Amino acid sequence: MHDDLIARAQAWLAEDPDADTRAELAELIDAKDIAELAARFGGTLQFGTAGLRGELGAGPMRMNRTVVIRAAAGLAAYLKKQGQDGGLVVIGYDARHKSEDFARDTAAVMTGAGLRAAVLPRPLPTPVLAYAIRHLGAVAGVEVTASHNPPRDNGYKVYLGDGSQIVPPADAGIAAEIDAIGSLTAVPRPTTGWETLDEGVLDAYLARTDAVLAQDSPRTARTVYTAMHGVGKDVLLAAFARAGFPEPALVAEQAEPDPDFPTVAFPNPEEPGAMDLAFAKARETDPDLVVANDPDADRCAVAVKDGDAWRMLRGDEVGALLAAHLVGRGAQGTFAESIVSSSLLGRIAEKANLPYEETLTGFKWIARVEGLRYGYEEALGYCVDPDGVRDKDGITAALLITELASELKERGRTLLDLLDDLAVEHGLHATDQLSVRVEDLSVIADAMRRLRERPPTELAGLAVTRAEDLTRGTDRLPPTDGLRYTLDGARVIVRPSGTEPKLKCYLEVVVPVSGHSALPAARARATELLAAIKRDLSAAAGI
């Protein structure tokens, strides 16, 4: 058994094109570190609808140049079988460790396979890549990014020519082609032959960002901005300057790309402590709002002053604010969100006589909604310009929320005032999340099994009126690994995360509100209910 493991590691070592991972693996082999070798060679990173994502390092269970070259070769073979031989594949990358290497390897593999490849000029936001696919008429796009994952991770996200991320059955088709790749020596990798794009593609994206704002709208709101050590700063500043907003005050410690993310435990605006430096800058400069991107700038976080303190708005709150803003501007088309996001969007759309759709989790589904005008997901993802970018875009979302803050400011009002109005009009929709990060994935499987075998009949004293196992699909949704409980005045969805070792439970309560004076009591009731649902659900799931 051990000999077999060592032999597999040695065979991998012989093919590995990267000096760093070769040295790392040689050390493990020499030390006969069986536990670590087993962790790296106990399987292969699975290519799914999120593409690939994992920790950097040597071996098939890690992200490295060997894994990426195989993935690129599988994607190239898949595209050729789809009749796309000679088609253009555009490749973007963030500023993480090895991202540029993975992008260059992908370009070499595509070129060697008889496709054309074009690489973005430098590390740029993911939405620029999503835009470039349709702008350049590409047959596919690849973004090398691990988004807001920890510093040691990287990833590989695949889009097809419609500019949307892959969905089944394309993921399985590509995975099968990756599995069919034999020795790396059989994968041609020329050293030249692909194009490195110039600034023209970024200029075109920036010109498109103008389209999200209303002509002659006020542009007075002052912002503090953090790029969270990612690639958002230059593009966001350029977009804000074009729009005529005041220049954002930067969180200097987090403004430049740094793959080690030194000031945050997790480079995700949703994580505790991640926004502390931004809030310190806000206390110093007293802006109208704080805006943050995650490291690849496809998400947008917003914080506002609430009394004397700064607080992050929930993704659902920003989602509702942007929807209300677009409705106020007379937007036409379908409003869409994933099933884990707040039902308030449906109420806003219904009142405005606009079509509304719910999808499975992820922008790969939201972006495919027919006639989409606006889509959002509670995890800080917003698609406000689907004709330009069929994915979440943290740059255009930042522009739109700053325009809304400017319009409200002109009337002596704030984003919180508008949220209050929405609560009075549609009921207070309060959301929360119970998120459990695990070392051992069997904890997640056990929790899901326990809930399936003994579904709760009530949570927080509210009767469960409907329990759905989403693996069976519904009349509106394809099958997915998830559970949905409808309660009298509340909703709960439980699902394993698609990109991290987490079990995620999404909670929503809706409390009727008789008027603005009743809001404090409604908020207190919502907080109490959410805490009780969290407690009862934890007990039911055994977490």
Side-chain angles (χ1 to χ4, degrees), residues 402-453:
T402 309
E403 177 186 59
L404 173 58
S406 300
E407 286 188 2
L408 291 165
K409 183 180 181 178
E410 298 295 293
R411 306 205 299 269
R413 306 185 76 233
T414 67
L415 295 173
L416 292 180
D417 293 330
L418 180 52
L419 282 172
D420 286 350
D421 292 351
L422 291 171
V424 171
E425 189 175 357
H426 303 288
L428 177 68
H429 289 61
T431 55
D432 201 356
Q433 200 181 114
L434 172 62
S435 184
V436 184
R437 188 181 286 273
V438 299
E439 292 294 323
D440 178 1
L441 289 175
S442 70
V443 173
I444 294 176
D446 288 347
M448 294 297 285
R449 190 185 66 245
R450 187 186 295 235
L451 288 169
R452 285 191 169 105
E453 287 172 358

Side-chain angles (χ1 to χ4, degrees), residues 222-537:
R222 292 170 48 253
T223 54
V224 158
Y225 172 70
T226 176
M228 206 65 67
H229 298 297
V231 299
K233 181 197 71 168
D234 291 347
V235 178
L236 182 127
L237 288 181
F240 270 55
R242 287 179 69 102
F245 286 113
E247 185 175 346
L250 297 178
V251 178
E253 303 92 327
Q254 298 174 334
E256 299 303 326
D258 186 333
D260 295 318
F261 306 105
T263 67
V264 289
F266 284 94
N268 178 355
E270 291 178 294
E271 293 282 349
M275 295 289 284
D276 287 357
L277 287 170
F279 292 161
K281 187 72 176 178
R283 287 192 292 274
E284 188 188 306
T285 58
D286 197 30
D288 298 296
L289 69 165
V290 174
V291 173
N293 286 136
D294 67 338
D296 69 327
D298 62 351
R299 294 165 199 253
C300 175
V302 179
V304 294
K305 199 168 188 181
D306 193 355
D308 292 329
W310 284 86
R311 81 162 173 96
M312 272 270 289
L313 293 179
R314 291 191 162 277
D316 285 317
E317 292 177 309
V318 177
L321 287 168
L322 291 173
H325 183 41
L326 289 168
V327 165
R329 277 189 9 199
Q332 292 297 307
T334 301
F335 280 31
E337 64 181 340
S338 62
I339 55 171
V340 298
S341 305
S342 170
S343 59
L344 178 54
L345 184 70
R347 304 265 180 107
I348 292 170
E350 183 183 17
K351 182 94 186 266
N353 290 316
L354 292 172
Y356 164 76
E357 288 284 338
E358 267 192 328
T359 73
L360 292 184
T361 312
F363 266 81
K364 56 185 177 278
W365 299 108
I366 294 170
R368 285 183 157 72
V369 167
E370 206 169 314
L372 181 68
R373 175 58 187 87
Y374 169 64
Y376 97 91
E377 189 153 76
E378 54 71 48
L380 311 184
Y382 313 95
C383 174
V384 301
D385 176 28
D387 290 343
V389 175
R390 280 193 191 166
D391 199 3
K392 53 189 178 291
D393 182 346
I395 306 293
T396 48
L399 286 170
L400 199 62
I401 198 75
T402 309
E403 177 186 59
L404 173 58
S406 300
E407 286 188 2
L408 291 165
K409 183 180 181 178
E410 298 295 293
R411 306 205 299 269
R413 306 185 76 233
T414 67
L415 295 173
L416 292 180
D417 293 330
L418 180 52
L419 282 172
D420 286 350
D421 292 351
L422 291 171
V424 171
E425 189 175 357
H426 303 288
L428 177 68
H429 289 61
T431 55
D432 201 356
Q433 200 181 114
L434 172 62
S435 184
V436 184
R437 188 181 286 273
V438 299
E439 292 294 323
D440 178 1
L441 289 175
S442 70
V443 173
I444 294 176
D446 288 347
M448 294 297 285
R449 190 185 66 245
R450 187 186 295 235
L451 288 169
R452 285 191 169 105
E453 287 172 358
R454 289 193 299 280
T457 54
E458 67 165 43
L459 296 166
L462 303 175
V464 175
T465 56
R466 193 169 173 204
E468 297 168 277
D469 186 342
L470 299 176
T471 47
R472 302 189 181 106
T474 73
D475 54 347
R476 305 298 300 271
L477 298 168
T480 187
D481 185 10
L483 301 163
R484 178 163 62 182
Y485 304 114
T486 305
L487 295 90
D488 193 10
R491 184 213 64 197
V492 173
I493 291 173
V494 184
R495 61 179 280 274
S497 168
T499 54
E500 298 174 274
K502 278 182 175 181
L503 180 68
K504 290 187 161 185
C505 311
Y506 303 85
L507 325 174
E508 178 176 43
V509 298
V510 183
V511 180
V513 184
S514 57
H516 280 80
S517 61
L519 277 168
R523 286 211 172 86
R525 173 67 178 148
T527 302
E528 179 190 315
L529 280 172
L530 287 168
I533 290 173
K534 220 182 243 196
R535 183 193 63 226
D536 293 353
L537 187 63

Side-chain angles (χ1 to χ4, degrees), residues 34 108 110 201 239 400:
I34 297 304
M110 295 301 159
V201 68
L400 199 62

Side-chain angles (χ1 to χ4, degrees), residues 20-34:
D20 294 341
T21 42
R22 273 205 312 275
E24 181 189 305
L25 187 53
E27 204 172 289
L28 293 174
I29 293 169
D30 290 345
K32 293 192 165 52
D33 188 338
I34 297 304

Side-chain angles (χ1 to χ4, degrees), residues 96-125:
R96 283 177 178 265
H97 293 296
K98 298 286 180 187
S99 285
E100 190 171 357
D101 294 345
F102 295 167
R104 190 174 55 246
D105 283 332
T106 301
V109 170
M110 295 301 159
T111 305
L115 290 142
R116 292 179 298 124
V119 184
L120 292 185
R122 61 178 182 283
L124 286 167

